[in-house]
Amino acid sequence: MRSRTVTGVALAVLGALAGAAACSGPGGPPKGAVDAASGFASAWSAGKAVSTVDPRTAAAATRDIEAAGKDLGIRATTVRPQGAPVCLDGEQAKKINPHGGVCDQPLTVSQEVSGIGTWRYASTAQVRQDAQGKWRVWWTPATFHPELTATTELHRERTLPPRASILDGAGKPLTKDMPVVRVGVEPRRVQPDVTYAQLQQILDIDAAALRQRAEAADPTHFVDVLTLREPAYEEVRVRLDDVPGVVTRDDTMSLAPSSTYARGVLGVVAPATAESLKKAGPQASASDEIGASGLQEAYQTQLAGTPGGQVDLVDKKDGHKVATLYTQVAKPGKPLRTTLDPHVQEAAETAVQGQAKPTALVAVRASTGEVLAAANGPGVTSYNRAFVGQYPPGSTFKVVSVSALLQGGLKPSDPATCPARTTVGGKMFKNAYDAVLPDGPFTEAFAHSCNTTVVEHADDITNSDFVEMARTYGIGETWKLGVPAYSGSVPEPADLTDRAASMIGQGRVLMSPLGMAMVAAAVDSGQPRKPVLLPDVAPGGTVGKKLPASLTTAMRELMRSVVTTGSATTLNLPGGAPVHAKTGTAEYGSDNPPRTHAWMIGYRGDIAFALVIEDGGAGGADAGPVAKQFLQGISSVRLPPA
């Protein structure tokens, strides 16, 4: 059948070549034939091919195009004429078309086959005159593809390569394919008043949303509910077995060591949705597992690789393959290297997951800016508050404001007062819990996080001094980490009162945990830097010049005093490098008394860190134990040479 079709096309072309002059005349092919062929190519490209087809073959054209589109998942078609139509002479044309002329127009066709690639081939459109002399395309299956016949059809096969891993700083996989169980429902088998409520109770899913999706689906289809790691599935399997309509499928998925492990950074892979498909590239398919957040989403095309597949010509009756018309070889994805250190990340995870309130902890290598860990918790959350959370930093920001004071001439040994309350520019400022310190050196006031001491120095610097020091530390820089990240915002104060509030990390100052970790890292290394997460993609770099040696020496001494005699003595750990830190209790909201976030920033050796506990209380009392647990967890970590 296929050979007869090809032979017929070949004979038509040979006949056209032999009799072209008789049909075309000295002026070339008839203009009507040229216009009809060109119009057909444009119409097919626009999805309106039938409008330019002879009405006697329009039904067949509709059938063939729709069938191919459905079987292959054709997303777009581009058709272009190649040269001029080749026309038969009068005698040859009459044998085919009693109404008049017959011309063959060579075409190049490009079909975007969903989930595979671009299928390019040559075809031919035959244009004929009708009884009124109008030229139109005479459709046959061979118009779509020269090997397609009335007894054959097109089938698509598709294969996915293994998803590439996201790697740690040493090049070892953080993510890899692991067995999972996809829990779903078959709509025709559910008992609506029972199934959805039980699934909500067992799996903590949105019962109403699941019911809506299931009722909109084909009654026999598998409707995804939740994908579980095998151990998690085993914990609920017995309960799920009793739920009407629940069905399961074994599968594999690219996963991190645990469901919480660096989830905000690494992201997750999940069944495709209409939204995730928009970002996944033209070769993704609705049946794929697609990066849904974090690096898995941002680098979906790199990690997923290129699908393979083929278009086969098969016999309609028995389904045997007649020929393979197009082949696309699958190409594996490419791994993505990060700077994460699994030991530091594990310590951060352990510290964060033990909390009752939303907590974020981020650690960086001070000498390079490499992000070593980013943990968000407790529980499973894809919200990366460690990178993008915007919080008033409270007294941790005194590292920046006191740096401005030191540059303006303040010395740590200068005398300082620390009353419970003081007024600056008509506004009253107070210490946490109305604490009071006896008069002494500025170092002691800093160590005990005395707000009143700092705000009373607000008139010793200008707005430009304050804002410029924030810029010196890299606050407000644009970061390129591969995932969203916030470096902080320090607006120019409106007046003296606003400047005083900003100096203690209140007012309009906002920072992320990563931003504050980079502040601590700058003191540790003496050089402000941009953070680095993907060293092969966005290597980061320094921000401005090194901090003045006198400034770094003074700030290191001040941050050390916080640990030795001040508000973070819980971090004065034995052995190893000394810990330097700064606590923060940041007020927010309109409650009276105000609610507070608990902060801690610091460094030990070459590892700088920052953590925040939302609505967590006080920096020393509440953030301190979390920081201590983290530092103890990394006590044996030895970073490779920078």
Side-chain angles (χ1 to χ4, degrees), residues 66-228:
E66 289 182 351
K70 179 181 178 181
D71 293 340
L72 305 182
I74 293 174
R75 300 172 57 250
T77 300
T78 302
V79 184
R80 291 188 175 89
Q82 290 300 299
V86 179
C87 302
L88 304 182
D89 65 17
E91 292 300 319
Q92 291 175 316
K94 286 181 181 179
K95 293 178 181 179
I96 298 173
N97 178 25
H99 298 298
V102 176
C103 299
D104 288 330
Q105 173 64 64
L107 304 171
T108 58
V109 182
S110 295
Q111 305 275 16
E112 295 294 330
V113 183
S114 179
I116 298 180
T118 303
W119 176 28
R120 297 181 177 88
Y121 58 90
S123 188
T124 302
Q126 189 177 89
V127 288
R128 301 183 183 183
Q129 284 180 297
D130 60 18
Q132 290 74 42
K134 185 175 180 62
W135 291 87
R136 290 180 179 271
V137 166
W138 186 265
W139 183 274
T140 70
T143 310
F144 188 94
H145 190 281
E147 296 200 48
L148 187 64
T149 70
T151 60
T152 57
E153 59 189 4
L154 302 171
H155 283 187
R156 180 186 83 153
E157 291 185 8
R158 185 169 180 267
T159 56
L160 290 175
R163 190 177 184 89
S165 295
I166 300 176
L167 310 177
D168 66 18
K172 296 180 180 179
L174 290 171
T175 64
K176 57 184 179 180
D177 282 347
M178 297 183 188
V180 296
V181 177
R182 293 172 59 188
V183 180
V185 294
E186 188 176 341
R188 65 178 178 176
R189 294 170 51 195
V190 304
Q191 296 177 17
D193 295 335
V194 176
T195 300
Y196 304 117
Q198 289 187 350
L199 286 175
Q200 179 170 326
Q201 183 180 25
I202 298 169
L203 300 178
D204 192 27
I205 53 93
D206 185 332
L210 173 60
R211 181 169 186 167
Q212 186 176 19
R213 287 194 296 116
E215 290 178 349
D218 185 296
T220 63
H221 281 188
F222 178 92
V223 178
D224 269 297
V225 177
L226 192 66
T227 300
L228 299 173

Side-chain angles (χ1 to χ4, degrees), residues 311-325:
V311 175
D312 292 328
L313 187 71
V314 301
D315 188 276
K316 287 183 179 179
K317 287 185 178 180
D318 58 21
H320 83 270
K321 182 167 69 175
V322 177
T324 295
L325 306 180

Side-chain angles (χ1 to χ4, degrees), residues 6-65:
V6 174
T7 301
V9 172
L11 287 174
V13 172
L14 289 173
L17 291 173
C23 174
S24 301
K31 184 177 184 301
V34 174
D35 291 345
S38 177
F40 168 73
S42 298
W44 190 2
S45 299
K48 302 175 181 178
V50 177
S51 64
T52 59
V53 169
D54 188 290
R56 290 167 292 179
T57 61
T62 300
R63 179 194 64 224
D64 292 340
I65 292 174

Side-chain angles (χ1 to χ4, degrees), residues 490-513:
V490 181
E492 181 170 344
D495 50 32
L496 177 63
T497 302
D498 193 20
R499 185 162 71 241
S502 297
M503 289 175 70
I504 58 173
Q506 299 288 170
R508 293 175 292 148
V509 174
L510 293 174
M511 294 294 294
S512 67

Side-chain angles (χ1 to χ4, degrees), residues 333-568:
K334 295 180 181 179
L336 181 67
R337 186 167 68 96
T338 72
T339 56
L340 296 177
D341 181 288
H343 303 294
V344 181
Q345 181 67 40
E346 191 61 44
E349 294 286 344
T350 301
V352 165
Q353 292 305 325
Q355 303 313 301
K357 294 184 176 181
T359 304
L361 194 158
V362 59
V364 301
R365 186 169 187 167
S367 60
T368 63
E370 294 169 309
V371 178
L372 301 175
N376 299 277
V380 178
T381 175
S382 292
Y383 175 53
N384 189 13
R385 60 173 56 86
F387 279 20
V388 301
Q390 299 183 20
Y391 306 94
S395 290
T396 61
F397 202 73
K398 290 173 184 173
V399 172
V400 177
S401 57
V402 170
S403 291
L405 292 174
L406 292 170
Q407 284 297 93
L410 177 72
K411 294 181 176 58
S413 59
D414 285 351
T417 60
C418 179
R421 304 184 177 209
T422 191
T423 300
V424 178
K427 176 180 173 60
M428 190 269 290
F429 292 87
K430 65 184 183 66
N431 294 326
Y433 313 110
D434 283 330
V436 178
L437 287 179
D439 293 352
F442 184 87
T443 297
E444 281 301 301
F446 184 89
H448 290 276
S449 202
C450 187
N451 291 336
T452 55
T453 303
V454 174
V455 299
E456 285 182 346
H457 283 279
D459 209 16
D460 294 345
I461 57 173
T462 65
N463 281 349
S464 61
D465 294 333
F466 178 68
V467 173
E468 184 58 34
M469 184 55 69
R471 291 198 189 104
T472 296
Y473 273 98
I475 298 169
E477 287 284 323
T478 299
W479 291 342
K480 295 181 180 179
L481 276 79
V483 291
Y486 179 67
S487 69
S489 175
V490 181
E492 181 170 344
D495 50 32
L496 177 63
T497 302
D498 193 20
R499 185 162 71 241
S502 297
M503 289 175 70
I504 58 173
Q506 299 288 170
R508 293 175 292 148
V509 174
L510 293 174
M511 294 294 294
S512 67
L514 179 57
M516 288 310 304
M518 297 309 296
V519 168
V523 175
D524 187 5
S525 69
Q527 172 66 68
R529 287 180 170 82
K530 296 179 181 180
V532 180
L533 178 64
L534 304 176
D536 303 325
V537 178
T542 60
V543 176
K545 299 178 181 179
K546 286 186 175 183
L547 298 177
S550 59
L551 174 59
T552 55
T553 298
M555 281 311 310
R556 289 167 184 169
E557 291 175 355
L558 288 168
M559 291 181 71
R560 179 60 181 158
S561 72
V562 175
V563 177
T564 56
T565 64
S567 55

